[in-house]
Amino acid sequence: MGVGTLLILAIAFLYRASGCDIDLSSFTDTETGESGSITNIHYLDVGQGDSILICGSEKNILIDGGDREYGDTVIADLKEYGVENIDYIIGTHPHADHIGGLVDVLRYAAENDDLSVGNVIIPDIPEDDVPTSYTYQKFLDGVDRNNIGVTFAEYEMTIDIGSGIMTLYPPVAGKNYDSLNDYSVCAYLECGDTSFFFTGDMEKPEERDLLKSGCLDGLNADVLKAGHHGSSTSSSKELLDQLSPDYIVISCGTGNSYGHPHKEAVQRFNKYADKVYRTDNDGTVTCTTDGKTLAWSVKGN
């Protein structure tokens, strides 16, 4: 293990011990996204759901919030990591196991002074496919209570978090899908020389259309968040060939009734990745990068 890796591991330990309120962006005097600007990506343990907290040197992003029963868990995690402002919430798609916990995050932010939300981004779903579920309506009510409205994700919309740049990849315009999973907003985060791809619940139809459109050409990802909790219907060989990830993180619940992650998907992952992390086995998984090196930690279950 090199000196650089040891140094980043030490920084990651101090960061976890003290929370996001420690300013690690000045580790070295660098420009945005260059080596030394610290970013923490927390793949939160929210059971059979998804929630990812990204703490950059200047901005924080929360991608999804798990199911409704995990809302308090996400709020507790935000406090643990010292997050008082969520600059962007991204609801990848309107299934309850992704936006349910966001209902409580938005409610908490509206009622308390120690948390604020700046922006909420969602996919622009065809009118006939927009859900009318109670959870989705409560999510929209929460947005209204924070007086921020929603922003529809647009192709290659970017978010500067200080220590990196996130680029959004919503579903290809004009496509209609049978499943809300395939309306997932995907995101690509570049932090210096390191990169991360976030999939929501994207399945093979949306994967195929994104790849065919050419919008993913030239992208590689050191870390891939597996689509749809490690389902065999996601993370196709074609997507893995394009992104060529070294690490894969699966968000899934212990003993879930869906059998996630499916063995076919895990077999594919093992052909590409040096390490596959699972929130059902590892608990919350954290990756810390300075733009050059990746350091990993897990809470364990």
Side-chain angles (χ1 to χ4, degrees):
M1 184 179 294
V3 174
T5 301
L6 287 170
L7 184 56
I8 294 303
L9 286 170
I11 291 171
F13 174 79
L14 291 173
Y15 192 92
R16 292 194 303 274
S18 302
C20 287
D21 53 341
I22 296 269
D23 181 14
L24 296 176
S25 63
S26 59
F27 173 57
T28 59
D29 185 15
T30 57
E31 299 297 326
T32 296
E34 296 297 325
S35 178
S37 296
I38 301 300
T39 306
N40 278 262
I41 299 95
H42 306 282
Y43 301 84
L44 304 179
D45 180 10
V46 289
Q48 185 61 19
D50 267 26
S51 187
I52 303 162
L53 173 63
I54 300 168
C55 296
S57 62
E58 296 179 8
K59 289 184 173 64
N60 302 313
I61 299 174
L62 180 63
I63 303 177
D64 292 330
D67 218 330
R68 185 70 187 271
E69 66 182 289
Y70 285 94
D72 288 342
T73 299
V74 176
I75 292 169
D77 287 336
L78 293 170
K79 292 182 177 181
E80 177 181 347
Y81 296 119
V83 174
E84 296 181 352
N85 183 59
I86 306 171
D87 298 279
Y88 293 88
I89 283 178
I90 300 174
T92 59
H93 65 293
H95 274 157
D97 60 328
H98 288 251
I99 63 165
L102 296 178
V103 172
D104 293 295
V105 171
L106 290 164
R107 173 194 53 77
Y108 185 91
E111 296 176 355
N112 296 273
D113 294 332
D114 60 343
L115 182 66
S116 64
V117 176
N119 302 272
V120 175
I121 298 174
I122 62 173
D124 188 3
I125 299 173
E127 185 176 352
D128 290 345
D129 293 325
V130 174
T132 57
S133 67
Y134 175 80
T135 300
Y136 188 55
Q137 186 57 57
K138 294 295 288 184
F139 166 73
L140 294 178
D141 289 345
V143 173
D144 288 341
R145 290 188 65 188
N146 284 273
N147 300 312
I148 49 180
V150 297
T151 299
F152 291 121
E154 297 181 359
Y155 173 63
E156 291 196 333
M157 178 187 292
T158 59
I159 300 171
D160 186 345
I161 64 170
S163 49
I165 301 291
M166 175 175 282
T167 303
L168 302 186
Y169 293 95
V172 175
K175 295 292 184 178
N176 291 84
Y177 297 105
D178 294 331
S179 171
L180 283 174
N181 290 337
D182 284 315
Y183 290 110
S184 291
V185 176
C186 298
Y188 183 68
L189 176 64
E190 291 182 278
C191 301
D193 295 333
T194 63
S195 54
F196 304 78
F197 197 84
F198 308 97
T199 59
D201 270 357
M202 177 173 65
E203 298 186 275
K204 290 179 181 177
E206 185 183 357
E207 292 178 10
R208 181 182 61 246
D209 288 336
L210 285 177
L211 290 165
K212 186 177 180 180
S213 75
C215 69
L216 303 184
D217 288 357
L219 295 189
N220 291 293
D222 295 303
V223 184
L224 170 68
K225 200 289 294 183
H228 198 197
H229 318 288
S231 169
S232 61
T233 61
S234 297
S235 306
S236 63
K237 178 181 182 298
E238 292 75 15
L239 183 68
L240 292 169
D241 283 341
Q242 173 63 65
L243 297 176
S244 188
D246 296 317
Y247 302 91
I248 293 174
V249 182
I250 304 170
S251 183
C252 60
T254 303
N256 67 84
S257 61
Y258 304 97
H260 293 155
H262 292 153
K263 64 180 181 180
E264 302 95 326
V266 173
Q267 288 171 352
R268 286 200 297 272
F269 297 156
N270 287 333
K271 293 178 181 178
Y272 292 83
D274 297 328
K275 173 71 176 178
V276 177
Y277 291 95
R278 298 171 45 165
T279 59
D280 59 338
N281 293 334
D282 299 312
T284 291
V285 177
T286 296
C287 183
T288 299
T289 179
D290 68 340
K292 292 289 186 182
T293 307
L294 302 180
W296 294 87
S297 65
V298 300
K299 285 188 174 180
N301 277 329

